[in-house]
Structures are given as C-alpha cells and as structure tokens.
Amino acid sequence: MAAQRIPSLPPKEALILELLVQEAELYGLQLVAASKGRLKRGTVYVTLGRMEEKRFITSRLEDAPADEGGLPRRIYEPTAFGRKVLKAYAQIHRHLTPELAR
Amino acid sequence: MTRPGETLRSIAQRFCTPATMERLIDPVIADLQCEHADAVVHRRVWHARWIRVAGYVAFWKVAVIGVGRASTGALMTPHDGAIDRTIRFSGLATTALTLVFMWPSVWTFLSHPGHRLAIFLTLVPSAMSVALPMGIVVGVLCGLRGRVATSRVRQAIVSLAVVCSLAMFVNLGWILPASNQAFREVTAGRRVAPGTNELALGDLRQLARDRFVIPLIASRRAFDFHFRVALAFAPLALGLFALGVSGVRRRAAGLLTVGVLGFAACFVYYLLLYCSRAVMYQAPFEVSEHIPPIIAAWASNLVFLVPALLLHLRTRGRTEAGPSGLEGAPLAHSETTHQTGR
C-alpha cells in the first residue's frame, strides 16, 4: 500500500484556514483585510489556489456580480478536511509549544 | 467604459491556461474591479487610483508566480530528473570552466596594485563566453547519460540551449566588449582606444558597413561581425549536438566517456572556429575573397547543427517506431543498470 503523506500546513495557510473557519466564507481581499497585514494581495490568490489543490478549502463564484458587467468574485470556504487539518495542527502546536519553550 | 484590469486579463488569456485564469487571474481582477467600483461610487478618487495601482501590482505578482508554477509543473514529470540533472551539471561545469579560464589572467594580474576585484569582474564575461557552450555540452551529456530523452526532456533542453544562446548574444554583443575595454584600461592605468573586440555589436555592424575601405578590410570586418553573432549560437549548436549524441550512446556511456566526448566536441568546435578565423585573417586574399564572411563565421555551427539534426531524426524515428508507452522503457532499464553499478 502506498504510504499516505501527512498534509503540511504552512503558517500562511494556517492563518487563511483560521480566518475562513471564523468567518465561514470570505473572498481574497477580505482575507487580506482580515489578516491585518499578514497576507498580501499579490500572494493570497496563489496560496488560496494551492490550498484548493490540497483540498483544504473550496471556492465558488458569487451569485451575481456586485456591479453589472464586472467579473464575479470567487468566494472561499473551508472544507471539512481543512477544518480537521487545522484542528490537528492546533493540537500539535498546543502540545509541543510549552515543551519547546522550556 | 473599460473596467480596470480588462486589458491585463485579455493579455493573460494569451499565456495562461484556463485553470490558471480561473483560479489565479480572474479572482485578482474581480476583486480589483469590485473594490475600484466601490471607491468610485463613494467618490474617493485617490483611493480608487491607489486600488488600481495596487491591483495591477497584485496582478503581475500573481501572473509571474502563476506562470512560473505552470512552467515548473510542466517540467515536473516522471522524467524531470534528467532536466534537473542537465541544468545542475551545466551550471556546475560552466562555473568551474569559467574559473579555470579566468585563472591564468587572475594569476598574472594578482600582484597588480589595487583593482583586483575590478580585474576579476572584467574577466568573467570573456571566460563565460567560452565556458557556457562547453558547460551546456557537459551538462547535456552528463544529465542524459544512459537515458533516452523523451520529447518533453528534449524540448526543455532545447529551451535551455536557446536561453543560453540569447544570454551569450547579449554577453558577446554588449557586456564582453565593455568588460574587455574596462580590463584594458584598468591594467594599463590609462585610457586606451578600443579595438575591434571592444566594439559593441551595433558599432561593429556600422564598421562592417563602411564602404570606404579596401575589400580585404571590408571582408575581415564583415567576418568579425558575423563571427560574433555566430559564436553566440554556440550553446545551441553544441547543445543540440550533445542531445543527438546522448540519444545514440544511451547505454555504453560512462561518466568519463561522456566527459571526454563532451570536451572533444568542444575542442573540435573551437578548432573549427580557429580555422575559419585563420582562413579569413591569414590566408592570402585570393583565397579568402572567394569565401563569404557569413559562411566562414557560421561554418563551425553548421558542422555541428547538421549532424545534430540527423541524429535527432534518427532518435525520433527509433522512439516513434516502438509503442508510445515504451518511450520510457529503455530509460527504466538503463537506470536500473546504473543503480546496480553495472
């Protein structure tokens, strides 16, 4: 049987997942605004694309454009798998941080 | 009215895959348009302008990263090891050879009062102009040692050779003449009039077009110009030749064999260059006047490009003759042979 790889969760992806879990669904610029400078508008979409490939999040186009004629925004929300990974990483972080800090 | 980002989106559509457009480009543009429209509605003119600039910057960042990822992804195939090895070997060989070629001059001018760094830096372009084509040959032969180059690997290596040739063109056309001149002035400690080798490509072309010189000088100047351009394509000629040779000798070649073969190919190439230059500069004009300068300058490239093309056709014919799935089969066999130490 092929060995299953443990999904990695870099800090930026963890931050995006945290924000999405808190807010349920956000679009790119809302994530940038909510991160208070920790996410940049130039890289957030690339990170979001990578997270979609990893199946941490899913996206859909908004129902109707905010103003007529413009492109519809892409709205992102966490998947059950993404929530699970975030929870697992949070637990690991919680368990290991005190020991490392000693 | 054109919305911000529409032109950029149409440009991106020409280069990006639909998936990249859907996942990366469109979200950037959509957010930019919505945010901009919102600022315009609230009559915040400067904010709208700032959003436009920030959105464009974000777009270019995403485009560069997206295209970079897409091209890297295209190379990430089961055979990417060959490409990776070729690039690594080429880089290593080019660096090592550059240092080797620089060493005699550096050694000579090491005791020069001051300007050691300047001398070292001005020697890099000339050393690289010889080292790069040789590095490509060594890289291709060592990178593909004992393996069949699939069409994807071949495309990647041809792209690498083209990029190196373009870099050589810029180096030989503009950087090398300037660094040669700087080297001469630093070592002489005064201003020195530039020679033919110190002229940029444009100046050399102007010189070659000068009609008010005797035919012998005109012929030599034209040769110098074509020679410079032809030399820039040495990585392409030698790289394609190495690619063809590696396709033929995919089983028997050990590292030493391919190394010797690579240096032999380079030696022959530079010998041909030397011969063509000797013919144009040292042979009696009654002989050299019958040889068009462009043919003399490109002879060594043609000598390598023609066999490269023939070898390529032969290899292509052989791989196409077998079932498509077997293109990688000899590869697997060959790699096993290498792993067991033969």
Side-chain angles (χ1 to χ4, degrees):
Chain A
M1 200 180 86
Q4 295 221 332
R5 290 182 63 185
I6 299 168
S8 62
L9 190 68
K12 263 188 189 174
E13 294 181 15
L15 174 63
I16 289 174
L17 265 182
E18 270 175 35
L19 292 171
L20 288 175
V21 167
Q22 280 170 20
E23 303 290 332
E25 58 175 37
L26 292 169
Y27 56 83
L29 281 185
Q30 280 179 324
L31 278 164
V32 174
S35 73
K36 291 173 182 149
R38 282 183 289 171
L39 294 172
K40 305 286 176 205
R41 62 167 74 203
T43 52
V44 71
Y45 301 98
V46 180
T47 311
L48 286 166
R50 194 167 55 232
M51 288 175 75
E52 265 197 282
E53 283 170 15
K54 288 178 168 180
R55 298 180 196 166
F56 290 167
I57 59 169
T58 182
S59 70
R60 63 181 168 80
L61 293 175
E62 67 180 354
D63 298 332
D67 56 328
E68 206 59 44
L71 284 172
R73 285 178 163 182
R74 188 164 283 276
I75 299 170
Y76 301 89
E77 54 186 310
T79 60
F81 177 62
R83 287 171 193 271
K84 210 169 154 182
V85 170
L86 180 68
K87 202 175 166 186
Y89 266 85
Q91 275 181 353
I92 292 168
H93 193 258
R94 216 172 18 248
H95 279 92
L96 290 181
T97 306
E99 283 189 26
L100 290 171
R102 263 177 229 152
Chain B
M1 197 182 92
T2 311
R3 286 169 190 281
E6 276 183 8
T7 313
L8 291 177
R9 187 172 181 268
S10 62
I11 293 170
Q13 266 178 327
R14 294 170 192 267
F15 301 101
C16 297
T17 60
T20 308
M21 287 300 296
E22 190 189 324
R23 299 287 171 200
L24 294 178
I25 305 295
D26 282 353
V28 184
I29 305 288
D31 281 353
L32 164 65
Q33 289 178 347
C34 290
E35 203 184 10
H36 184 264
D38 189 50
V40 169
V41 166
H42 291 95
R43 296 180 184 279
R44 289 182 290 174
V45 179
W46 282 103
H47 186 59
R49 285 175 187 162
W50 182 84
I51 286 166
R52 194 185 272 261
V53 172
Y56 289 167
V57 171
F59 166 84
W60 284 113
K61 272 190 187 174
V62 169
V64 168
I65 297 170
V67 170
R69 280 184 67 200
S71 57
T72 315
L75 298 177
M76 293 300 174
T77 65
H79 306 299
D80 64 337
I83 298 166
D84 189 40
R85 271 194 310 277
T86 303
I87 293 171
R88 218 168 33 221
F89 275 119
S90 299
L92 276 172
T94 304
T95 309
L97 288 167
T98 302
L99 292 173
V100 167
F101 293 139
M102 282 170 67
W103 183 248
S105 303
V106 169
W107 187 251
T108 307
F109 292 100
L110 205 61
S111 57
H112 203 271
H115 309 303
R116 280 182 193 164
L117 182 65
I119 289 173
F120 184 84
L121 291 176
T122 52
L123 286 170
V124 173
S126 59
M128 265 194 80
S129 64
V130 184
L132 188 60
M134 294 176 87
I136 290 284
V137 174
V138 173
V140 172
L141 289 176
C142 293
L144 297 180
R145 183 166 54 100
R147 291 152 180 99
V148 167
T150 59
S151 56
R152 195 182 291 271
V153 171
R154 276 198 292 267
Q155 279 170 18
I157 289 172
V158 171
S159 305
L160 176 71
V162 168
V163 168
C164 288
S165 285
L166 293 175
M168 274 277 282
F169 184 72
V170 173
N171 183 35
L172 290 170
W174 292 274
I175 300 170
L176 178 61
S179 71
N180 268 358
Q181 182 63 12
F183 176 81
R184 293 170 81 208
E185 291 186 352
V186 165
T187 51
R190 58 186 167 80
R191 284 193 67 81
V192 181
T196 317
N197 290 338
E198 285 70 53
L199 292 179
L201 203 60
D203 298 332
L204 199 60
R205 194 180 182 193
Q206 286 294 328
L207 201 66
R209 285 180 170 179
D210 187 0
R211 300 282 174 216
F212 301 102
V213 287
I214 57 170
L216 173 69
I217 302 295
S219 166
R220 283 180 183 174
R221 284 176 177 178
F223 172 78
D224 282 338
F225 171 72
H226 292 301
F227 186 81
R228 190 93 69 88
V229 177
L231 193 58
F233 288 87
L236 188 64
L238 285 169
L240 293 182
F241 179 77
L243 188 61
V245 170
S246 69
V248 175
R249 293 184 56 79
R250 73 173 187 276
R251 287 192 185 183
L255 194 60
L256 188 66
T257 316
V258 294
V260 170
L261 193 66
F263 281 109
C266 295
F267 177 75
V268 172
Y269 182 84
Y270 285 105
L271 186 69
L272 288 169
L273 280 183
Y274 176 81
C275 290
S276 64
R277 196 172 181 84
V279 166
M280 295 307 285
Y281 268 83
Q282 287 164 18
F285 187 59
E286 293 75 34
V287 177
S288 62
E289 75 172 329
H290 298 295
I291 305 169
I294 190 167
I295 298 293
W298 281 83
S300 37
N301 280 351
L302 293 174
V303 163
F304 276 78
L305 278 172
V306 171
L309 188 68
L310 294 174
L311 288 170
H312 169 72
L313 290 173
R314 184 182 155 183
T315 314
R316 201 174 133 195
R318 197 175 56 209
T319 49
E320 279 175 359
S324 59
L326 288 179
E327 196 177 2
L331 174 82
H333 163 76
S334 185
E335 278 186 340
T336 314
T337 316
H338 278 288
Q339 281 161 7
T340 52
R342 210 178 294 146

